Amino acid sequence: MPILVMKFGGTSVADLARIRAAAEKVRAEVARGHDVIVIVSAMAGRTNELVGWVNETSPMYDAREYDAVVSSGENVTAGLMALTLQEMDVPARSWQGWQVPIHTTSAHGAARIEGIDRAAIDAKFAEGFRVAVIAGFQGLSPEGRITTLGRGGSDTTAVAFAAAFDATRCDIYTDVDGIYTTDPRISAKARKLTRISFEEMLELASLGAKVLQTRSVELAMRYKVRLRVLSSFEDTDETSGTLVCDEDEIMESKVVSGVAHSRDEAKLTLVTVEDRPGIAAAIFGPLAEAGVNVDMIVQNISEQAQGEGAPREVTDMTFSCPTDQVGRARKALEAAQARGDIRFDALEVDTEVSKVSVVGIGMRSHAGVAARMFTALAAEGVNIKVIATSEIKISVLIDRRYMELAVQALHDAFELDKAD
Ligand code: ADP
Ligand code: ASP
Ligand code: MG
């Protein structure tokens, strides 16, 4: 029988009534002749609560125990979903990650799926079970410990199962009815897209659009999984939602297809570091070792240092990272200074910044996108602190209080509310 993967996010399984509504959708697909693999998230808010408990108990927590605690939300939903389906006379069985098993790396809190054993699930389907319910977000390390895949990781569990089982499609049910030109919670003018390319969705996700976890889009692109985002709160059919697909399946030809934001960014500047070969490695090496995800980097033009000692070339080095990694970054840099590996006069930290980005494959062949973006921001009086570009995106770091305004201004400037 053709296999369909259906994933339900936190708000879609927030309580027993929502689980029943999700189970109804699964039953409908079973009635249409599919065997279904259901991936469930923890009930809405549960993972945040678990993360909070871990932080309160142990701020410098052991990541293995973090995973032991934080993975548990999905276990509850998986069992409840299987029971709900059984009550509807749909033969269903649940699996936690270790039971499948879903093999992952041992990078606790951010593990990557390396393989999925099909045997146990195939055997159950062969016995006549119609639905396999899988706890999302979790797996098993080579050391035999529970791992988690990073926040939003159930999306990745879903795509990995779709690839492993050659599913007809991977449907991601959530609290919005598709992928929009920008977060519909930020701009009322956001427009739902019928299709979006893997490349653009990958950029949007990695730049903060949390509707899909970045890794899930990467996997879908690599394994050619038909990936769809749609609402669990509405009646849906074959044509609902947004399909993430290859570029050549898309009709729209806008230069910019979406605006993404990442709210909680921080900007750190090392003031007066020596400007010599190896300095960037001496700064960013220890940051990487400390697990800091450095994003944008700017190095200023070199100057002659004033004051005591022989004249030396100095510069300022600025970078951004998520706000919750500032403590780790500071520690790593201060330790490097204490070891004498780097020298700096001050470490300036600004935790009140956000990143706003425009994304579009049309940028490859159109000039002037940056100018249009900067003009729109200037017209709103938004000061740009750092700029980064790649082939299909331009990102700026700005004061957080202007984030929503910037998203809306860019959405207007690139006329994203209008279809082609
Ligand atoms: P789930 O719990 O179902 O995994 P998430 O909260 O992780 O749901 O993702 C859905 C949310 O993603 C939406 O509620 C929406 O606010 C946000 N989002 C951000 N950018 C976009 C976008 N471009 N299109 C649709 N939703 C977006
Ligand atoms: N429950 C996890 C989280 O909130 C995984 C997920 O929902 O995708 O991050
Ligand atoms: Mg999510």
Side-chain angles (χ1 to χ4, degrees):
M1 288 220 202
I3 288 180
L4 185 68
V5 171
M6 303 172 77
K7 179 255 173 179
F8 295 93
T11 42
S12 305
V13 291
D15 53 35
L16 298 186
R18 295 295 324 152
I19 293 177
R20 262 196 305 277
E24 283 294 353
K25 287 190 177 290
V26 176
R27 174 164 71 170
E29 292 297 350
V30 169
R32 280 188 203 117
H34 283 109
D35 278 347
V36 181
I37 298 178
V38 178
I39 313 292
V40 287
S41 285
M43 290 164 148
R46 176 45 61 103
T47 309
N48 286 344
E49 183 180 46
L50 295 169
V51 170
W53 287 344
V54 169
N55 280 316
E56 210 178 310
T57 309
S58 168
M60 299 298 285
Y61 56 74
D62 175 340
R64 296 171 202 78
E65 302 308 337
Y66 167 97
D67 279 352
V69 175
V70 168
S71 62
S72 66
E74 272 69 9
N75 299 345
V76 175
T77 350
L80 290 173
M81 176 62 82
L83 288 172
T84 308
L85 287 161
Q86 289 173 5
E87 287 296 321
M88 294 173 173
D89 290 327
V90 179
R93 179 63 69 223
S94 76
W95 277 267
Q96 297 178 8
W98 66 271
Q99 291 174 298
V100 174
I102 301 167
H103 299 286
T104 73
T105 61
S106 40
H108 285 278
R112 289 164 81 94
I113 295 179
E114 306 226 286
I116 294 174
D117 281 359
R118 288 183 52 151
I121 294 167
D122 280 337
K124 272 282 179 274
F125 280 141
E127 274 175 40
F129 278 75
R130 301 299 306 279
V131 181
V133 185
I134 313 292
F137 179 53
Q138 48 173 266
L140 182 68
S141 76
E143 294 77 28
R145 304 238 28 125
I146 308 293
T147 53
T148 63
L149 310 178
R151 297 307 303 269
S154 297
D155 298 328
T156 300
T157 308
V159 173
F161 271 83
F165 283 82
D166 256 325
T168 11
R169 205 175 51 231
C170 179
D171 283 345
I172 306 287
Y173 286 88
T174 184
D175 55 2
V176 284
D177 62 354
I179 297 163
Y180 281 71
T181 48
T182 195
D183 189 341
R185 293 184 205 291
I186 297 246
S187 172
K189 291 189 192 165
R191 180 172 55 89
K192 195 178 98 188
L193 299 164
T194 330
R195 292 174 177 227
I196 186 165
S197 68
F198 287 120
E199 282 90 346
E200 286 169 319
M201 192 57 235
L202 193 57
E203 285 284 3
L204 286 173
S206 70
L207 294 168
K210 66 170 185 161
V211 60
L212 287 172
Q213 197 196 34
T214 309
R215 179 81 182 131
S216 74
V217 186
E218 245 169 53
L219 281 184
M221 190 158 130
R222 161 127 49 102
Y223 294 104
K224 300 255 173 257
V225 171
R226 285 189 93 70
L227 179 62
R228 183 166 72 142
V229 173
L230 69 172
S231 170
S232 72
F233 289 76
E234 294 171 5
D235 285 337
T236 43
D237 59 29
E238 290 289 300
T239 63
S240 305
T242 303
L243 189 70
V244 190
C245 58
D246 276 329
E247 230 174 274
D248 48 19
E249 289 184 67
I250 296 183
M251 304 308 233
E252 279 208 51
S253 59
K254 281 201 179 303
V255 179
V256 164
S257 49
V259 180
H261 69 276
S262 170
R263 189 180 177 277
D264 296 318
E265 299 287 321
K267 176 164 95 52
L268 292 86
T269 301
L270 283 166
V271 182
T272 23
V273 290
E274 294 164 279
D275 195 4
R276 58 162 172 84
I279 189 67
I283 293 171
F284 295 106
L287 287 171
E289 271 164 40
V292 177
N293 296 102
V294 172
D295 181 18
M296 298 161 143
I297 300 175
V298 181
Q299 182 177 342
N300 286 10
I301 287 173
S302 190
E303 280 176 37
Q304 284 281 331
Q306 309 296 318
E308 36 49 84
R312 58 196 170 98
E313 295 291 307
V314 292
T315 182
D316 291 347
M317 190 79 85
T318 298
F319 65 93
S320 68
C321 71
T323 38
D324 60 4
Q325 297 181 1
V326 167
R328 251 185 284 169
R330 191 193 288 279
K331 259 200 193 145
L333 293 170
E334 284 167 357
Q337 184 169 42
R339 286 196 305 272
D341 295 345
I342 54 174
R343 238 187 334 170
F344 53 89
D345 284 349
L347 174 61
E348 289 172 359
V349 180
D350 181 355
T351 53
E352 295 296 313
V353 295
S354 295
K355 183 171 64 174
V356 174
S357 314
V358 299
V359 170
I361 42 184
M363 276 187 219
R364 288 187 195 134
S365 50
H366 283 79
V369 177
R372 201 158 149 196
M373 178 177 191
F374 302 154
T375 306
L377 294 173
E380 298 293 339
V382 177
N383 187 37
I384 300 170
K385 294 169 181 271
V386 180
I387 301 171
T389 65
S390 78
E391 199 190 18
I392 66 164
K393 74 118 199 270
I394 304 171
S395 298
V396 294
L397 215 55
I398 60 172
D399 261 343
R400 183 164 310 136
R401 64 197 149 124
Y402 294 128
M403 185 191 82
E404 304 198 350
L405 178 68
V407 168
Q408 288 156 3
L410 295 173
H411 199 268
D412 284 345
F414 290 98
E415 300 183 331
L416 296 182
D417 53 331
K418 302 189 183 90
D420 275 339

